[in-house]
Amino acid sequence: MRHFVIALVGVFFFGITLLTPQPALAQTRQAASPSPSPTASAAANLSATASAQVASPSADVLETIQEKQKTNITEPTGEVKSRLARFLDETPTQPLGPTNFVQHAIRQAVNRGVPANVLVLLLLFPVVASIIAASRHVIGLQGFGVYTPAVLAVALLSTGIFTGIILFTAIMVGATIGRKIFRRFHLQYLPRTALMLWLVTLVVFVLMLASPFLVQIKINLITVTIFPILVLILLSENFLEAQLAGSQYRALELTIETIFLAVISALFMSAEQVQRFVIVYPEITILFVFVLDLIVGRFTGLRLAEYLRFRPILDPEE
């Protein structure tokens, strides 16, 4: 046994010796090698040109990523983070008091390295949730509750609105087809949900493989990160639950309302004026959310959709 261990250690060190690069020997071989001929130089130039042509799509992808970082508030780095911090620097600093202590706390946090865009998103998320709740109680747009459109809005901010809608639509179509297929197997709920997740993930996987060809039609999936994709995949469960609770037409109606609310919320959060107001006046933003929720919570009148629906009854002249 001892001899076997010694032999094994010897083989291990011998393998390390073979795998270790030997610069002196490489330099000797390079010095001894003859200078390349003109034909070889031309071939090398041709190969370099081909490599440059292959690398050009990578340069386009890099340019796309840099362009996304300039406007995407969900990116951890980029010009948006610097711009939000610059908004704080351009605002005159008032003495610390009960009406601006949150602004001072934000300044201290940003100066110590806390991302300004994350703070803005944390302040904007309850604003968006309040707007979605108000649209349901005042206008009559339901969607999949409050949380789902708000989360979808953040996902659309990360992916881009057009790309996110295409991806979300593909996921919904895959979920609908999978529900009709797997319903014939008479499976339990959790295994059937796992199969649905498997199918939807395959749909997204195929789209990611085809993403280099989809860039030509303005569907840019190359710069999409994994987290908004996971959010969009998980939101498909709400669509399936809506199909189980009601008809497919009702589920489609709720899905369209959810996408509409998410797009409006994403456009609202992406506005530079809104971002600047939120980070410069956080106290007003927090108080606005509180007051708006109280007002909407006490609203007991008819919704706008109900006015349009029951207009013949409400207007006796018609």
Side-chain angles (χ1 to χ4, degrees), residues 25-37:
L25 182 59
Q27 293 176 1
T28 304
R29 292 179 178 176
Q30 183 178 5
S33 62
S35 58
S37 61

Side-chain angles (χ1 to χ4, degrees), residues 102-118:
V102 180
Q103 182 185 138
H104 279 267
I106 291 177
R107 289 178 182 271
Q108 293 293 330
V110 172
N111 292 333
R112 295 178 182 271
V114 178
N117 56 331
V118 175

Side-chain angles (χ1 to χ4, degrees), residues 263-285:
V263 169
I264 296 299
S265 302
L267 292 175
F268 175 77
M269 288 190 290
S270 62
E272 182 177 340
Q273 295 80 3
V274 174
Q275 298 172 7
R276 178 167 188 164
F277 182 87
V278 166
I279 197 170
V280 174
Y281 305 104
E283 295 85 5
I284 299 178
T285 303

Side-chain angles (χ1 to χ4, degrees), residues 8-270:
L8 185 62
V9 173
V11 171
F12 174 75
F13 282 105
F14 179 72
I16 292 179
T17 305
L18 291 178
L19 294 176
T20 304
Q22 301 178 2
L25 182 59
Q27 293 176 1
T28 304
R29 292 179 178 176
Q30 183 178 5
S33 62
S35 58
S37 61
T39 306
S41 301
N45 293 331
L46 182 60
S47 177
T49 305
S51 300
Q53 293 177 355
V54 173
S56 58
S58 300
D60 295 338
V61 172
L62 181 60
E63 183 180 357
T64 304
I65 294 175
Q66 292 175 353
E67 186 66 25
K68 179 183 177 182
Q69 290 179 349
K70 292 180 181 179
T71 58
N72 193 353
I73 192 176
T74 61
E75 292 290 333
T77 59
E79 295 186 5
V80 176
K81 178 181 176 181
S82 303
R83 187 180 72 240
L84 294 175
R86 189 169 62 250
F87 288 159
L88 288 175
D89 297 334
E90 295 174 354
T91 305
T93 305
Q94 301 295 331
L96 180 62
T99 59
N100 62 354
F101 67 95
V102 180
Q103 182 185 138
H104 279 267
I106 291 177
R107 289 178 182 271
Q108 293 293 330
V110 172
N111 292 333
R112 295 178 182 271
V114 178
N117 56 331
V118 175
L119 297 176
V120 171
L121 284 175
L122 288 175
L123 289 173
L124 281 177
F125 193 77
V127 176
V128 168
S130 300
I131 294 176
I132 293 174
S135 66
R136 177 167 186 172
H137 285 274
V138 178
I139 300 177
L141 296 176
Q142 295 185 8
F144 294 129
V146 175
Y147 178 76
T148 300
V151 174
L152 181 59
V154 178
L156 293 181
L157 276 179
S158 180
T159 61
I161 294 179
F162 181 71
T163 303
I165 291 176
I166 296 298
L167 188 60
F168 186 71
T169 304
I171 291 173
M172 294 300 105
V173 171
T176 303
I177 297 175
R179 174 178 175 269
K180 293 182 178 181
I181 295 176
F182 298 137
R183 186 172 54 184
R184 302 177 180 179
F185 293 96
H186 303 287
L187 300 176
Q188 298 293 333
Y189 176 75
L190 291 181
R192 186 173 69 249
T193 305
L195 278 177
M196 292 296 305
L197 181 61
W198 168 77
L199 180 60
V200 170
T201 305
L202 285 182
V203 172
V204 178
F205 181 74
V206 172
L207 285 177
M208 294 300 296
L209 292 180
S211 57
F213 307 97
L214 298 177
V215 176
Q216 300 177 359
I217 56 177
K218 306 300 182 182
I219 302 177
N220 187 12
L221 296 175
I222 298 177
T223 59
V224 177
T225 57
I226 185 61
F227 294 105
I229 292 178
L230 293 179
V231 169
L232 294 175
I233 291 176
L234 293 177
L235 291 182
S236 62
E237 186 177 1
N238 298 96
F239 180 70
L240 296 176
E241 291 179 354
Q243 286 184 334
L244 293 175
S247 62
Q248 187 172 356
Y249 175 78
R250 179 56 180 167
L252 181 61
E253 183 181 1
L254 292 176
T255 303
I256 294 176
E257 292 180 358
T258 300
I259 294 177
F260 176 77
L261 292 173
V263 169
I264 296 299
S265 302
L267 292 175
F268 175 77
M269 288 190 290
S270 62

